[in-house]
Amino acid sequence: MADRTRQTIVVDGLALAQGIRKQLAEEVGRYAAAGKRVPCLAVVLAGDDPASASYIMGKQRACSRIGMDAIERRLPASASEQDVLLVVEELNLNDAVDGILVQLPLPEGISANEIAAAIDPAKDVDALHPTTAGKLLLGTPTLAACTPLGIIEILDHYEIEIEAANAVVIGRSNIVGKPVSLMLQRRNATVTMCHSKTRNLREVCQQADILVAAVGVPRLVKADWIKAGAAVIDVGVSNIDGTLVGDVDTDGAMGIASIVTPHRRGVGPMTITMLLRNTLTAYRARTGE
Ligand code: NAP
């Protein structure tokens, strides 16, 4: 029986994100006030997936709220890989564009890796270009993936000790699991990366001081997987009959975890905020501002 005597803090990712966005807005405002060009994010959407269309709208809205420019390039579901590559090339050459994000998933037959590899690494705000990913691996300064950056911000904000912590990451995707594992390891955590073939996942998770679930399996992580006092970060989002559900049984984590991110207003708002920050970082590096 789990000891439920602890006060668990439910992370307010939205409030944290709004605080960071306010700072970003002030920085962008200073460029605008000085008569300079403001940072610009370009989003590319190929196909007519309604969820993707809503994601890119959210990203554009977030840009405009902090005074950044956002431009959009839409291609039909029938677009070929070459069509998408041409758009990426146009945006690479466009001096007024600082960040390029190609919304995934792409229509069938288009390789996400080929598209990512075509983005100018200086504008790679989603951090999927091999050079960007390689720099993270080598520990050299680079743009980095937005969700992992947001997770580290949350851990730091809630004063979770990363150094020497046992961190368990469930999921090994290029966009979340691998980069967050590298970032935690760089901060001197001892990291275990788990996936669908991991044996005794529950027992592995029970050792975690920091547990990151980036899987997409609803409520995979149960109360008895969580070590007392662990920081639990729930990245997963699954749509079950119109209801969004995370990878963690959040109610079950209450009274056991030190902090837990809710599946709404948790990691999500921080992901978009880190995209804005990456765009500003790319702008500064490109313009020397
Ligand atoms: P992904 O590419 O589908 O990767 C999922 C990972 O989970 C894979 O490594 C897979 O293992 C592993 N996995 C699947 N079933 C498992 C199981 N039963 N036990 C242990 N591991 C298992 O996913 P992703 O892109 O990283 O996204 C993960 C989740 O996070 C999704 O729900 C996504 O919607 C969500 N997400 C949220 C945000 C946000 O901002 N809130 C951002 C990005 C993603 P294998 O490698 O062995 O297949």
Side-chain angles (χ1 to χ4, degrees), residues 48-112:
D48 41 25
D49 175 39
S52 294
S54 141
Y55 292 147
I56 69 155
M57 260 171 58
K59 287 164 186 169
Q60 287 174 281
R61 207 178 311 123
C63 283
S64 74
R65 283 195 179 138
I66 65 155
M68 274 187 188
D69 281 341
I71 61 170
E72 179 189 297
R73 295 284 183 272
R74 281 198 188 221
L75 293 106
S78 58
S80 66
E81 190 167 288
Q82 188 58 26
D83 294 332
V84 182
L85 287 171
L86 282 172
V87 168
V88 169
E89 192 51 29
E90 178 245 315
L91 296 169
N92 282 343
L93 295 171
N94 186 339
D95 222 23
V97 168
D98 302 292
I100 302 173
L101 181 142
V102 179
Q103 185 66 46
L104 301 178
L106 288 160
E108 232 174 87
I110 303 182
S111 157

Coordinates of all heavy atoms in Angstrom, one line a residue, residues 48-112:
D48 N -4.4 17.9 -44.6 CA -5.6 18.5 -44.0 C -6.0 17.9 -42.7 O -7.2 17.9 -42.3 CB -6.8 18.5 -45.0 CG -6.8 17.2 -45.7 OD1 -6.4 16.2 -45.1 OD2 -7.4 17.1 -46.9
D49 N -5.0 17.4 -41.9 CA -5.3 16.8 -40.6 C -5.8 18.0 -39.7 O -5.1 18.9 -39.4 CB -4.0 16.2 -40.1 CG -4.2 15.7 -38.6 OD1 -5.3 15.2 -38.4 OD2 -3.3 15.9 -37.8
P50 N -7.0 17.9 -39.2 CA -7.6 19.0 -38.4 C -6.8 19.2 -37.1 O -6.6 20.4 -36.7 CB -9.0 18.5 -38.0 CG -9.2 17.2 -38.7 CD -8.0 16.8 -39.3
A51 N -6.2 18.2 -36.5 CA -5.5 18.4 -35.2 C -4.2 19.2 -35.6 O -3.9 20.2 -34.9 CB -5.1 17.1 -34.6
S52 N -3.5 18.9 -36.7 CA -2.3 19.6 -37.1 C -2.7 21.1 -37.4 O -1.9 22.0 -37.0 CB -1.7 19.0 -38.3 OG -1.2 17.7 -38.0
A53 N -3.8 21.3 -38.1 CA -4.2 22.6 -38.4 C -4.4 23.4 -37.2 O -4.0 24.6 -37.1 CB -5.5 22.6 -39.3
S54 N -5.0 22.8 -36.2 CA -5.3 23.5 -34.9 C -4.0 23.8 -34.2 O -3.8 24.8 -33.6 CB -6.3 22.7 -34.1 OG -6.0 22.7 -32.8
Y55 N -3.0 22.8 -34.2 CA -1.7 23.1 -33.6 C -1.0 24.2 -34.2 O -0.4 25.1 -33.5 CB -0.8 21.8 -33.7 CG -1.2 20.6 -32.9 CD1 -1.0 19.3 -33.4 CD2 -1.9 20.7 -31.7 CE1 -1.4 18.2 -32.7 CE2 -2.3 19.6 -31.0 CZ -2.1 18.4 -31.5 OH -2.5 17.3 -30.8
I56 N -1.0 24.3 -35.5 CA -0.2 25.4 -36.1 C -0.9 26.8 -35.9 O -0.2 27.8 -35.7 CB 0.1 25.2 -37.6 CG1 -1.1 25.3 -38.5 CG2 1.0 24.0 -37.9 CD1 -0.6 25.7 -39.9
M57 N -2.2 26.7 -35.8 CA -2.9 28.0 -35.5 C -2.5 28.5 -34.1 O -2.3 29.6 -33.8 CB -4.5 27.8 -35.5 CG -5.0 28.3 -36.8 SD -6.8 27.8 -37.0 CE -7.5 28.5 -35.5
G58 N -2.5 27.5 -33.1 CA -2.1 27.8 -31.8 C -0.7 28.4 -31.7 O -0.4 29.4 -31.0
K59 N 0.2 27.9 -32.5 CA 1.6 28.4 -32.6 C 1.7 29.8 -33.1 O 2.4 30.6 -32.6 CB 2.5 27.4 -33.4 CG 2.7 26.1 -32.6 CD 3.3 25.0 -33.5 CE 3.3 23.7 -32.7 NZ 3.6 22.5 -33.5
Q60 N 0.9 30.0 -34.2 CA 0.9 31.3 -34.8 C 0.3 32.4 -33.8 O 0.8 33.5 -33.7 CB 0.1 31.3 -36.1 CG 0.8 30.6 -37.2 CD 0.0 30.4 -38.4 OE1 -0.9 29.6 -38.5 NE2 0.2 31.3 -39.4
R61 N -0.8 32.0 -33.2 CA -1.4 32.9 -32.2 C -0.5 33.2 -31.1 O -0.3 34.4 -30.6 CB -2.7 32.2 -31.6 CG -3.7 33.2 -31.1 CD -5.0 32.5 -30.6 NE -5.5 31.5 -31.5 CZ -5.8 30.2 -31.1 NH1 -5.5 29.8 -29.9 NH2 -6.3 29.4 -32.0
A62 N 0.3 32.2 -30.6 CA 1.2 32.4 -29.5 C 2.3 33.4 -30.0 O 2.7 34.3 -29.2 CB 1.9 31.1 -29.1
C63 N 2.7 33.3 -31.2 CA 3.7 34.3 -31.8 C 3.2 35.7 -31.7 O 3.8 36.6 -31.2 CB 4.1 33.9 -33.2 SG 5.2 32.5 -33.4
S64 N 1.9 35.8 -32.3 CA 1.4 37.2 -32.4 C 1.2 37.8 -31.0 O 1.4 39.0 -30.9 CB 0.2 37.3 -33.3 OG -0.9 36.7 -32.7
R65 N 0.8 37.0 -30.1 CA 0.6 37.5 -28.7 C 1.8 38.1 -28.1 O 1.8 39.0 -27.2 CB 0.0 36.4 -27.8 CG -1.4 36.2 -28.1 CD -2.1 35.4 -27.0 NE -3.5 35.2 -27.3 CZ -4.2 34.1 -27.1 NH1 -3.6 33.0 -26.6 NH2 -5.4 34.0 -27.4
I66 N 3.0 37.6 -28.5 CA 4.2 38.2 -27.9 C 4.9 39.2 -28.9 O 6.1 39.6 -28.7 CB 5.2 37.2 -27.4 CG1 5.8 36.3 -28.5 CG2 4.6 36.3 -26.3 CD1 7.1 35.7 -28.1
G67 N 4.2 39.5 -30.0 CA 4.7 40.5 -30.9 C 5.6 39.9 -32.0 O 6.3 40.7 -32.7
M68 N 5.8 38.6 -32.1 CA 6.6 38.0 -33.1 C 5.8 37.9 -34.4 O 4.5 37.7 -34.3 CB 7.0 36.6 -32.7 CG 8.2 36.5 -31.9 SD 8.7 34.7 -31.7 CE 10.0 34.9 -30.5
D69 N 6.4 37.8 -35.5 CA 5.8 37.5 -36.8 C 5.6 36.0 -37.0 O 6.5 35.3 -36.5 CB 6.6 38.1 -38.0 CG 6.3 39.6 -38.1 OD1 5.3 40.1 -37.6 OD2 7.2 40.3 -38.8
A70 N 4.6 35.6 -37.6 CA 4.5 34.2 -38.0 C 3.9 34.1 -39.4 O 3.0 34.9 -39.8 CB 3.5 33.5 -37.1
I71 N 4.5 33.3 -40.2 CA 4.0 33.1 -41.6 C 3.7 31.6 -41.7 O 4.3 30.7 -41.0 CB 4.9 33.6 -42.7 CG1 6.3 32.9 -42.7 CG2 5.1 35.1 -42.6 CD1 7.1 33.2 -43.9
E72 N 2.8 31.3 -42.7 CA 2.3 29.9 -42.8 C 2.5 29.5 -44.3 O 2.2 30.4 -45.2 CB 0.9 30.0 -42.4 CG 0.2 28.7 -42.5 CD -1.3 28.8 -42.3 OE1 -1.7 29.3 -41.2 OE2 -2.1 28.6 -43.2
R73 N 2.9 28.3 -44.5 CA 2.9 27.8 -45.9 C 2.0 26.5 -45.8 O 2.4 25.6 -45.1 CB 4.3 27.4 -46.4 CG 5.2 28.6 -46.5 CD 4.8 29.4 -47.8 NE 5.8 30.5 -48.0 CZ 5.6 31.7 -47.5 NH1 4.5 32.0 -46.8 NH2 6.5 32.7 -47.8
R74 N 1.0 26.4 -46.6 CA 0.1 25.2 -46.6 C 0.2 24.5 -47.9 O 0.3 25.1 -49.0 CB -1.4 25.6 -46.4 CG -1.7 25.9 -45.0 CD -3.2 25.9 -44.7 NE -3.4 26.3 -43.4 CZ -4.3 25.8 -42.5 NH1 -5.1 24.8 -42.9 NH2 -4.5 26.3 -41.3
L75 N 0.3 23.2 -47.8 CA 0.3 22.4 -49.0 C -0.8 21.3 -48.9 O -1.2 20.9 -47.8 CB 1.7 21.6 -49.2 CG 2.9 22.5 -49.4 CD1 3.7 22.6 -48.2 CD2 3.7 21.9 -50.5
P76 N -1.3 20.9 -50.1 CA -2.4 19.9 -50.1 C -1.9 18.6 -49.6 O -0.7 18.3 -49.6 CB -2.9 19.9 -51.5 CG -1.7 20.4 -52.3 CD -0.9 21.3 -51.5
A77 N -2.8 17.7 -49.3 CA -2.5 16.3 -48.8 C -1.8 15.6 -50.0 O -1.1 14.6 -49.7 CB -3.7 15.6 -48.4
S78 N -2.0 16.0 -51.2 CA -1.4 15.4 -52.4 C 0.0 15.8 -52.6 O 0.7 15.4 -53.5 CB -2.3 15.7 -53.6 OG -2.3 17.1 -53.8
A79 N 0.5 16.7 -51.8 CA 1.9 17.3 -52.0 C 2.9 16.1 -51.9 O 2.8 15.2 -51.2 CB 2.2 18.3 -50.9
S80 N 4.0 16.3 -52.8 CA 5.0 15.3 -52.8 C 6.2 15.8 -51.9 O 6.2 16.9 -51.4 CB 5.6 15.2 -54.2 OG 6.2 16.4 -54.6
E81 N 7.1 14.9 -51.6 CA 8.3 15.3 -50.8 C 9.0 16.5 -51.4 O 9.4 17.4 -50.8 CB 9.2 14.1 -50.7 CG 10.3 14.3 -49.7 CD 11.0 13.0 -49.3 OE1 10.4 12.1 -48.6 OE2 12.2 12.8 -49.8
Q82 N 9.1 16.4 -52.8 CA 9.8 17.5 -53.5 C 9.1 18.9 -53.3 O 9.7 19.9 -53.1 CB 9.8 17.2 -55.0 CG 10.7 18.1 -55.9 CD 12.1 18.2 -55.4 OE1 12.6 17.3 -54.8 NE2 12.8 19.3 -55.6
D83 N 7.7 18.8 -53.2 CA 6.9 20.1 -53.0 C 7.3 20.6 -51.6 O 7.5 21.9 -51.5 CB 5.4 19.8 -53.0 CG 4.9 19.3 -54.4 OD1 5.6 19.7 -55.4 OD2 3.9 18.6 -54.4
V84 N 7.4 19.8 -50.6 CA 7.7 20.3 -49.3 C 9.1 20.8 -49.2 O 9.4 21.8 -48.6 CB 7.4 19.2 -48.2 CG1 7.7 19.7 -46.8 CG2 6.0 18.6 -48.3
L85 N 10.0 20.0 -49.9 CA 11.4 20.5 -49.9 C 11.6 21.8 -50.5 O 12.4 22.7 -50.1 CB 12.3 19.4 -50.7 CG 12.5 18.1 -49.9 CD1 13.2 17.1 -50.8 CD2 13.4 18.3 -48.7
L86 N 10.8 22.1 -51.6 CA 10.9 23.4 -52.2 C 10.4 24.5 -51.3 O 11.1 25.6 -51.3 CB 10.0 23.4 -53.5 CG 10.6 22.7 -54.7 CD1 9.6 22.6 -55.9 CD2 11.9 23.5 -55.2
V87 N 9.4 24.3 -50.5 CA 8.9 25.3 -49.6 C 10.0 25.5 -48.5 O 10.3 26.7 -48.1 CB 7.6 24.8 -48.9 CG1 7.2 25.7 -47.7 CG2 6.5 24.9 -50.0
V88 N 10.6 24.4 -48.0 CA 11.6 24.6 -47.0 C 12.8 25.4 -47.5 O 13.3 26.3 -46.9 CB 12.1 23.2 -46.5 CG1 13.3 23.3 -45.6 CG2 11.0 22.5 -45.7
E89 N 13.2 25.1 -48.8 CA 14.3 25.8 -49.4 C 14.0 27.3 -49.5 O 14.8 28.2 -49.2 CB 14.6 25.2 -50.8 CG 15.9 25.6 -51.4 CD 17.1 25.5 -50.5 OE1 17.1 24.6 -49.6 OE2 18.0 26.3 -50.6
E90 N 12.7 27.6 -49.9 CA 12.3 29.0 -50.0 C 12.4 29.7 -48.6 O 12.9 30.8 -48.5 CB 10.9 29.1 -50.5 CG 10.2 30.5 -50.7 CD 9.1 30.7 -49.7 OE1 8.2 29.8 -49.6 OE2 9.1 31.8 -49.1
L91 N 12.0 29.0 -47.6 CA 12.1 29.6 -46.2 C 13.5 29.7 -45.7 O 13.9 30.6 -45.0 CB 11.2 28.8 -45.3 CG 9.7 28.8 -45.6 CD1 9.0 27.7 -44.8 CD2 9.1 30.2 -45.4
N92 N 14.3 28.7 -46.1 CA 15.8 28.8 -45.7 C 16.4 30.1 -46.3 O 17.2 30.7 -45.7 CB 16.5 27.6 -46.3 CG 16.4 26.3 -45.5 OD1 15.9 26.3 -44.4 ND2 16.7 25.2 -46.2
L93 N 16.0 30.4 -47.5 CA 16.6 31.5 -48.2 C 16.0 32.9 -47.8 O 16.6 33.9 -48.1 CB 16.5 31.4 -49.8 CG 17.3 30.2 -50.3 CD1 16.9 29.9 -51.8 CD2 18.8 30.3 -50.2
N94 N 14.8 32.8 -47.2 CA 14.1 34.0 -46.8 C 14.8 34.6 -45.6 O 14.7 34.1 -44.5 CB 12.7 33.7 -46.5 CG 11.8 34.9 -46.3 OD1 12.4 36.0 -45.9 ND2 10.5 34.8 -46.4
D95 N 15.4 35.8 -45.7 CA 16.2 36.4 -44.7 C 15.4 36.8 -43.5 O 15.9 37.0 -42.4 CB 17.0 37.5 -45.2 CG 18.4 37.5 -44.7 OD1 18.9 36.4 -44.2 OD2 19.0 38.6 -44.6
A96 N 14.1 37.1 -43.8 CA 13.2 37.6 -42.7 C 12.6 36.4 -41.9 O 11.8 36.7 -41.0 CB 12.1 38.4 -43.3
V97 N 13.0 35.2 -42.2 CA 12.5 34.0 -41.4 C 13.6 33.5 -40.5 O 14.7 33.3 -40.9 CB 12.0 32.9 -42.4 CG1 11.8 31.6 -41.6 CG2 10.7 33.3 -43.1
D98 N 13.3 33.4 -39.2 CA 14.3 33.0 -38.2 C 14.1 31.5 -37.8 O 15.1 30.8 -37.5 CB 14.2 33.9 -37.0 CG 14.4 35.3 -37.3 OD1 15.5 35.6 -37.7 OD2 13.4 36.1 -37.3
G99 N 12.9 31.0 -37.8 CA 12.6 29.7 -37.4 C 11.7 29.0 -38.4 O 10.8 29.6 -38.9
I100 N 11.9 27.7 -38.6 CA 11.1 26.9 -39.5 C 10.6 25.7 -38.8 O 11.4 24.9 -38.2 CB 11.9 26.5 -40.8 CG1 12.4 27.7 -41.5 CG2 10.9 25.6 -41.7 CD1 13.3 27.3 -42.7
L101 N 9.3 25.5 -38.8 CA 8.7 24.3 -38.2 C 7.8 23.6 -39.2 O 6.9 24.2 -39.7 CB 7.9 24.7 -36.9 CG 7.3 23.6 -36.2 CD1 7.3 23.8 -34.7 CD2 5.8 23.3 -36.6
V102 N 8.1 22.4 -39.5 CA 7.3 21.6 -40.4 C 6.4 20.7 -39.5 O 6.9 19.9 -38.7 CB 8.1 20.8 -41.4 CG1 7.2 19.9 -42.3 CG2 9.0 21.7 -42.2
Q103 N 5.1 20.9 -39.5 CA 4.2 20.2 -38.6 C 4.2 18.7 -39.0 O 4.0 18.4 -40.2 CB 2.8 20.8 -38.7 CG 1.8 20.2 -37.7 CD 2.1 20.5 -36.3 OE1 2.5 21.6 -35.9 NE2 2.1 19.5 -35.4
L104 N 4.3 17.8 -38.0 CA 4.2 16.4 -38.2 C 2.8 15.9 -37.7 O 2.3 16.6 -36.8 CB 5.3 15.7 -37.5 CG 6.8 16.1 -37.8 CD1 7.8 15.3 -37.0 CD2 7.0 15.9 -39.3
P105 N 2.3 14.9 -38.2 CA 2.8 14.0 -39.2 C 2.7 14.6 -40.6 O 1.8 15.4 -40.9 CB 2.0 12.7 -39.1 CG 0.6 13.2 -38.6 CD 1.0 14.4 -37.7
L106 N 3.5 14.1 -41.5 CA 3.5 14.5 -42.9 C 2.6 13.5 -43.7 O 2.5 12.4 -43.3 CB 4.9 14.6 -43.5 CG 5.7 15.8 -43.0 CD1 7.2 15.6 -43.2 CD2 5.2 17.1 -43.7
P107 N 2.1 13.9 -44.9 CA 1.3 12.9 -45.6 C 2.2 11.7 -46.0 O 3.4 11.8 -46.1 CB 0.9 13.7 -46.9 CG 1.0 15.1 -46.5 CD 2.1 15.2 -45.5
E108 N 1.5 10.6 -46.2 CA 2.2 9.4 -46.5 C 3.2 9.5 -47.7 O 2.8 10.3 -48.7 CB 1.2 8.3 -46.9 CG 1.4 7.1 -46.0 CD 0.4 6.0 -46.2 OE1 0.5 5.2 -47.1 OE2 -0.6 6.1 -45.4
G109 N 4.3 8.9 -47.6 CA 5.3 9.0 -48.7 C 6.3 10.1 -48.6 O 7.2 10.2 -49.3
I110 N 6.1 11.0 -47.6 CA 7.0 12.0 -47.3 C 7.8 11.7 -46.1 O 7.3 11.4 -45.0 CB 6.3 13.4 -47.2 CG1 5.5 13.7 -48.4 CG2 7.4 14.5 -46.9 CD1 4.8 15.1 -48.3
S111 N 9.1 11.7 -46.2 CA 10.0 11.3 -45.1 C 10.3 12.5 -44.2 O 10.8 13.5 -44.6 CB 11.3 10.7 -45.7 OG 12.3 10.9 -44.7
A112 N 9.8 12.4 -42.9 CA 10.0 13.5 -42.0 C 11.5 13.7 -41.8 O 12.0 14.8 -41.6 CB 9.4 13.1 -40.6

